[in-house]
Amino acid sequence: MRLLIVEDEKRLALSLAKGLTAEGYAVDVVHDGREGLHRATEGTYDLLILDIMLPGLNGYRVCAALRAAGDDTPILMLTAKDGEYDEAEGLDTGADDYLTKPFSYVVLLARLKALLRRRGPGASPVLVHGDLRLDTAARRVHLADAEVTLTAKEFAVLEQLATRPGEVVSKARILEHVWDFAYDGDPNIVEVYISALRRKLRPGVIGTVRGAGYRLEAER
Ligand code: CA
C-alpha cells in the first residue's frame, strides 16, 4: 500500500509519515499543492492525505483536478479547526473523507484503513490462497491455522504477492509499492525480504521466476 501525504506543515507531515511507515505503508511526502498534484498524477497511490491550505495549489483544487481527470484514488482531506473551510465543500470536490486538525493519529489511521477497505469492488480485506490467509485490516497472517508473525515490511511484501496469486510480480513493482520514492538503496533488498518470508512461511510458498520476479505458488 502506497500513500501520498500533501501537507505543508513539515513537522506534521513527517510525523504522519513516520507513523504510517511503521505500520508498513510506503509513504511519500510533498509540501506543495502543485507538486502534490504532479506526484499523484504520475504515481500509483492507494490513498492521498491532502491538506487544504497549501502553497502552490490548494487541496480543493488538487482534489478537483484529480477527479476531473478520472482519478478515483481515495482522498482523506485535512483542514484547520477554525472552520474557514467547510466539510461540504471538501466533499463536493470529490474528497472521500475529512479530518479536522488537530486530530489524533489513531483516528486518522482508523479513517485511512476504512477508506482503503472501501476502495474498489471486490477489495476484500482478507486474502486467501490455499492454506495461506492474510487479513489486511488486522495485518495478521495464518498458514494452515498457525499464526505467522511478520514485520510490517515483510507483511507488505507478502501482500503484494497475495493480491495477485499465481501471477508473476516484478521486483520493481514490489519496490515501488512497499518502499517509498526516496528509497535509493539496493533493489536487492526485495530478495532479503523474500528469503525471510520463505523461512517464516515454508519453502515453496513463494516461487522465483528467473529474470521476472516472484509468484505466490499454488498449494501442493
Ligand atoms: Ca496547510
Side-chain angles (χ1 to χ4, degrees):
M1 289 285 179
R2 193 161 178 208
L3 315 179
L4 177 66
I5 298 174
V6 190
E7 167 61 81
D8 59 320
E9 288 171 47
K10 291 187 177 160
R11 280 180 58 191
L12 173 63
L14 293 176
S15 74
L16 281 181
K18 201 173 160 195
L20 294 170
T21 302
E23 296 284 330
Y25 298 104
V27 183
D28 295 338
V29 178
V30 293
H31 305 298
D32 170 276
R34 214 168 286 281
E35 174 68 11
L37 177 60
H38 174 71
R39 191 78 78 173
T41 307
E42 303 243 301
T44 47
Y45 292 101
D46 299 293
L47 185 136
L48 265 59
I49 296 173
L50 181 62
D51 187 32
I52 290 176
M53 290 295 284
L54 288 167
L57 196 63
N58 74 43
Y60 291 137
R61 294 183 60 191
V62 172
C63 186
L66 287 169
R67 295 303 187 239
D71 186 323
D72 61 357
T73 307
I75 295 178
L76 175 59
M77 274 198 159
L78 306 179
T79 191
K81 201 182 177 181
D82 59 19
E84 192 181 346
Y85 294 87
D86 73 287
E87 189 163 336
E89 193 177 349
L91 295 172
D92 268 0
T93 58
D96 298 87
D97 202 356
Y98 209 96
L99 208 53
T100 304
K101 293 177 191 171
F103 50 82
S104 100
Y105 174 71
V106 175
V107 170
L108 174 117
L109 193 60
R111 299 279 194 91
L112 181 147
K113 285 183 174 172
L115 284 177
L116 289 171
R117 273 200 295 278
R118 227 157 66 192
R119 133 200 104 113
S124 163
V126 179
L127 304 168
V128 179
H129 184 67
D131 58 358
L132 180 68
R133 183 186 150 90
L134 269 81
D135 184 331
T136 60
R139 308 192 82 73
R140 297 173 76 174
V141 177
H142 287 82
L143 183 68
D145 295 329
E147 180 156 12
V148 182
T149 307
L150 300 182
T151 67
K153 276 275 190 279
E154 286 165 358
F155 185 93
V157 171
L158 184 61
E159 187 179 24
Q160 286 302 310
L161 299 174
T163 49
R164 290 163 202 81
E167 286 176 36
V168 178
V169 181
S170 71
K171 199 186 285 182
R173 189 189 165 93
I174 296 172
L175 262 184
E176 183 183 342
H177 282 261
V178 179
W179 281 267
D180 54 45
F181 76 86
Y183 180 78
D184 58 359
D186 187 347
N188 292 321
I189 184 85
V190 175
E191 283 171 28
V192 175
Y193 280 83
I194 293 284
S195 301
L197 283 169
R198 282 175 174 149
R199 276 197 306 276
K200 290 188 175 183
L201 299 167
R202 65 170 172 246
V205 171
I206 300 171
T208 299
V209 182
R210 208 166 289 280
Y214 303 99
R215 182 169 61 201
L216 202 58
E217 299 291 3
E219 200 184 1
R220 273 173 292 186

